[in-house]
Amino acid sequence: MFYIIGLGLCDEKDITVRGLEMSFRRPHQMAAVKGCSRVYLEAYTSILMVQRERLEEFYGKQLIIADRDTVELESDEILRDADKEDVALLVVGDPFGATTHPDILLRARSLRVPTQVIHNASILNAVGCCGLQLYNFGQTVSLVFFTETWKPDSFYDRIKENVDLGMHTLVLLDIKVKEQSDENLARGRKIYEPPRYMTIPQAVTQLVEIESLRQDNILSPSNTLVIAVSRVGGGDKHERIVSGTLSELNGHPPEAFGEPLHSLVIVGKRVHPLEIEYAQEFAIDEENWRRVAETVYGCALD
Amino acid sequence: MFYIIGLGLCDEKDITVRGLEMSFRRPHQMAAVKGCSRVYLEAYTSILMVQRERLEEFYGKQLIIADRDTVELESDEILRDADKEDVALLVVGDPFGATTHPDILLRARSLRVPTQVIHNASILNAVGCCGLQLYNFGQTVSLVFFTETWKPDSFYDRIKENVDLGMHTLVLLDIKVKEQSDENLARGRKIYEPPRYMTIPQAVTQLVEIESLRQDNILSPSNTLVIAVSRVGGGDKHERIVSGTLSELNGHPPEAFGEPLHSLVIVGKRVHPLEIEYAQEFAIDEENWRRVAETVYGCALD
């Protein structure tokens, strides 16, 4: 059996009891559960709050690191013998959060390897912590790091579609976990740069930049309400939620947004007064938060 | 502290290790974790695959059943003394899946009770099991039981918005877990009908009925592809995924869709060939599935 197991959002304890039992033999677990012969850990776990060693200690098992390229390109190695023994791939969040996971499941299917998915929380539902109703979200968009010469802006069309309908938009911010410098790339040296995570001010800057190029008037620095979230589910010590206008967030010190990974929510015009009230707790300027909600979004607040 | 803890989608083992440690004192857990003095279980757990007794046995703790009305109307009783001791509310899926949970968190905040949310999988991300990319979903809609005289159709406008953009739509089907007959209601007798769950054929019938009334031509019995899912995450024994056209699903025996709770996904026109390929495995008629994807959705399949 090939198990693909969601780890949830924060640390080693966000795995479900089912996921833990299926992948690791531990004394308090049902004797019938057979531990896996190989357990892969997708490298994006660098965005978990814990190190691999702590995961290994908690799970009582050595983990094999697999970056996303490996999962994509060397899936046959991961799936080796999984028709005869149990193999698990641990991924951050929910197994269906990333496009590469259906691919490996399809491959398993074609190799006649039985599969099982263990679900977990992902940012797509946990973002509800900001107080906005999940029902009121449109499509999710990803924002990649701009370079001098490459500023892909198709996300803007997706945001526009949501904005036109009055829906909220979850914007996932880029991470670069296995980048090579131009020199190392040219010389074929497998030396990687330290991981980079897009910050909230970077994201806001890129959004405003594309708005000023496209001028469809869907984002306004002082009249668009947004909510930044990080380390959702990490409890008081880790989770940060900050709400305000685009320019308020841009002027806020980057460290106030907490540790990566960050996401940003653009509030849609169909917002309900209760959603505004909930997110007011996180506002940089409560008074301005309410003022914009009332005057720009037409919210009738008490 | 007031904990609101997601149970996930299937049974007692879908709780996360963190959630388990926070709500229950169990021998293998950190001694520092103090069990909660009261643990409420939201009554919608009837949609879990397990009985309360099995949950109590697994958790080693008696549970107090709270229906959604109680959570909404008697939140102060649930929150009683939570500033001095630990109280937990267990809910199916993720705590932010239902509108009543932000409400009780807001109430806790106004009572100065500290809160913590333990996230888990919900249908909103786990629906990815059908093979459609979560990024390609628009807003989620709920479909309520029609009666002779009450056929609310605002969901149709939401579906139309998604269809016009080519997005997939997750349709959540109604459940009635605490219904009174007209007679019992009139006599003020607190006697409740057995729970009712909308079936996939019922949902399809209602969708087609509203389409024929509104005639916006967004749903077609033979040309709209849909995917029915039930008991997501329950493994081979429980999970069911069935894909086909609206009329194929309507003509399929209701028991083929598995046990409740059911959800339905309407496939949007932006569908990617890989999504079609993945969901083909679940098709009532694979050939027709591919034919409609190619001719109606314009998918270029191999």
Side-chain angles (χ1 to χ4, degrees):
Chain A
M1 179 78 84
F2 173 61
Y3 294 103
I4 179 162
I5 298 173
L7 292 181
L9 292 166
C10 287
D11 67 22
E12 74 277 13
K13 292 195 176 162
D14 285 323
I15 195 171
T16 65
V17 172
R18 181 197 301 272
L20 192 64
E21 288 191 353
M22 286 196 167
S23 39
F24 310 102
R25 190 199 307 265
R26 283 166 66 84
H28 61 270
Q29 280 149 27
M30 300 185 303
V33 174
K34 209 176 136 285
C36 285
S37 50
R38 298 193 310 284
V39 180
Y40 292 90
L41 176 67
E42 198 179 57
Y44 275 155
T45 39
S46 61
I47 67 177
L48 282 179
M49 294 177 203
V50 290
Q51 301 304 308
R52 166 195 179 175
E53 291 69 28
R54 195 164 137 199
L55 289 169
E56 289 182 329
E57 191 189 20
F58 179 74
Y59 298 149
K61 189 119 190 168
Q62 262 205 317
L63 304 175
I64 307 163
I65 300 292
D67 57 46
R68 202 158 280 182
D69 286 349
T70 310
V71 176
E72 206 159 337
L73 304 173
E74 297 166 32
S75 54
D76 283 9
E77 167 54 24
I78 293 176
L79 294 168
R80 177 172 49 82
D81 297 330
D83 51 339
K84 296 186 287 283
E85 45 198 60
D86 289 342
V87 174
L89 172 65
L90 308 180
V91 304
V92 175
D94 184 77
F96 288 107
T99 47
T100 48
H101 304 145
D103 289 355
I104 196 170
L105 288 168
L106 261 180
R107 181 68 189 146
R109 197 192 284 171
S110 73
L111 295 171
R112 298 181 186 279
V113 168
T115 61
Q116 187 165 349
V117 173
I118 311 290
H119 291 283
N120 209 320
S122 80
I123 187 67
L124 291 162
N125 59 348
V127 68
C129 67
C130 73
L132 300 183
Q133 287 294 323
L134 297 173
Y135 287 81
N136 294 337
F137 279 76
Q139 56 199 310
T140 300
V141 306
S142 294
L143 188 57
V144 301
F145 279 114
F146 285 176
T147 67
E148 282 298 304
T149 52
W150 192 62
K151 300 185 180 188
D153 64 354
S154 63
F155 70 88
Y156 185 84
D157 302 302
R158 304 285 91 75
I159 295 175
K160 181 171 173 3
E161 290 169 345
N162 288 343
V163 167
D164 286 348
L165 293 175
M167 310 301 296
H168 310 315
T169 306
L170 170 61
V171 184
L172 304 175
L173 308 195
D174 202 4
I175 49 180
K176 294 278 184 202
V177 289
K178 211 179 166 187
E179 249 182 334
Q180 286 170 287
S181 67
D182 288 345
E183 197 194 331
N184 285 328
L185 191 64
R187 293 171 185 260
R189 290 191 295 223
K190 291 202 168 169
I191 301 173
Y192 301 104
E193 303 299 301
R196 286 196 299 151
Y197 306 94
M198 189 184 290
T199 66
I200 292 296
Q202 276 175 314
V204 170
T205 304
Q206 291 195 183
L207 289 175
V208 171
E209 183 179 347
I210 296 298
E211 172 66 50
S212 69
L213 286 171
R214 301 277 297 265
Q215 303 215 330
D216 275 337
N217 210 18
I218 61 166
L219 300 169
S220 150
S222 53
N223 285 330
T224 296
L225 296 178
V226 286
I227 308 176
V229 299
S230 85
R231 305 252 152 160
V232 170
D236 284 349
K237 251 174 66 189
H238 302 284
E239 185 175 279
R240 289 282 178 284
I241 310 176
V242 181
S243 58
T245 61
L246 280 169
S247 36
E248 281 171 350
L249 263 70
N250 211 5
H252 212 50
E255 61 274 16
F257 297 106
E259 298 291 311
L261 210 68
H262 299 101
S263 304
L264 189 69
V265 181
I266 301 170
V267 179
K269 287 283 164 72
R270 275 192 209 160
V271 67
H272 189 276
L274 270 179
E275 296 177 279
I276 290 293
E277 233 177 83
Y278 195 98
Q280 179 183 320
E281 162 105 359
F282 315 118
I284 294 174
D285 178 342
E286 291 197 14
E287 207 174 306
N288 195 47
W289 175 259
R290 293 176 68 89
R291 192 192 57 76
V292 174
E294 283 180 319
T295 59
V296 181
Y297 285 71
C299 258
L301 301 176
D302 288 336
Chain B
M1 179 77 85
F2 173 61
Y3 294 102
I4 179 161
I5 298 173
L7 291 182
L9 292 166
C10 288
D11 67 22
E12 74 277 13
K13 292 194 177 163
D14 285 323
I15 194 170
T16 65
V17 173
R18 183 197 299 273
L20 192 63
E21 288 192 354
M22 285 197 168
S23 39
F24 310 103
R25 193 199 305 263
R26 284 165 66 84
H28 62 272
Q29 280 148 28
M30 301 183 304
V33 173
K34 208 175 136 289
C36 285
S37 51
R38 298 193 309 283
V39 180
Y40 292 89
L41 176 68
E42 200 179 56
Y44 274 155
T45 40
S46 60
I47 66 176
L48 283 179
M49 296 179 201
V50 289
Q51 300 304 308
R52 166 195 179 173
E53 290 70 26
R54 196 164 136 198
L55 289 169
E56 289 183 329
E57 190 188 21
F58 180 73
Y59 299 147
K61 190 119 189 169
Q62 262 207 318
L63 304 174
I64 307 163
I65 301 290
D67 57 45
R68 202 157 279 181
D69 286 349
T70 309
V71 175
E72 205 159 337
L73 304 173
E74 296 165 34
S75 53
D76 283 9
E77 167 55 23
I78 293 176
L79 295 168
R80 178 172 50 82
D81 297 330
D83 51 339
K84 297 186 287 281
E85 47 197 60
D86 289 341
V87 174
L89 172 65
L90 308 180
V91 304
V92 175
D94 185 77
F96 287 107
T99 47
T100 47
H101 303 147
D103 289 355
I104 196 172
L105 288 168
L106 260 180
R107 181 67 188 148
R109 196 192 283 171
S110 73
L111 294 171
R112 297 178 187 279
V113 168
T115 60
Q116 187 165 350
V117 172
I118 311 291
H119 291 283
N120 210 320
S122 80
I123 187 66
L124 291 163
N125 59 346
V127 69
C129 67
C130 72
L132 301 183
Q133 287 294 325
L134 297 173
Y135 287 82
N136 294 336
F137 279 76
Q139 57 199 309
T140 300
V141 307
S142 294
L143 188 57
V144 301
F145 279 114
F146 286 177
T147 67
E148 282 299 305
T149 52
W150 193 62
K151 301 185 179 189
D153 65 354
S154 62
F155 69 88
Y156 184 85
D157 301 301
R158 305 286 89 76
I159 295 175
K160 180 171 175 359
E161 289 169 346
N162 288 343
V163 167
D164 287 347
L165 293 175
M167 310 302 296
H168 310 314
T169 306
L170 170 61
V171 183
L172 303 174
L173 308 195
D174 203 4
I175 49 181
K176 295 276 183 204
V177 289
K178 211 178 167 187
E179 250 183 332
Q180 286 170 287
S181 67
D182 287 347
E183 196 193 333
N184 284 328
L185 191 65
R187 293 171 185 260
R189 289 190 294 220
K190 291 200 169 170
I191 300 173
Y192 302 104
E193 304 298 303
R196 284 197 301 151
Y197 306 94
M198 189 184 290
T199 66
I200 293 294
Q202 277 176 313
V204 170
T205 304
Q206 292 196 181
L207 289 175
V208 171
E209 182 178 349
I210 295 298
E211 171 67 50
S212 68
L213 286 172
R214 300 278 295 266
Q215 302 215 332
D216 276 335
N217 210 20
I218 60 165
L219 301 169
S220 148
S222 55
N223 285 330
T224 296
L225 296 178
V226 286
I227 308 176
V229 300
S230 85
R231 304 253 154 160
V232 170
D236 284 350
K237 251 175 65 190
H238 301 285
E239 185 175 278
R240 289 284 178 283
I241 310 178
V242 180
S243 58
T245 61
L246 279 169
S247 34
E248 281 171 350
L249 263 69
N250 210 6
H252 213 48
E255 60 276 15
F257 298 106
E259 298 290 311
L261 209 71
H262 299 100
S263 304
L264 188 70
V265 180
I266 302 170
V267 179
K269 286 283 165 73
R270 276 191 209 160
V271 68
H272 189 278
L274 271 178
E275 295 178 279
I276 289 293
E277 235 177 81
Y278 195 99
Q280 179 182 319
E281 161 106 359
F282 316 117
I284 294 175
D285 178 342
E286 290 197 13
E287 207 175 306
N288 195 47
W289 175 259
R290 291 175 71 87
R291 192 192 57 75
V292 174
E294 283 179 318
T295 58
V296 181
Y297 285 71
C299 259
L301 301 176
D302 289 335

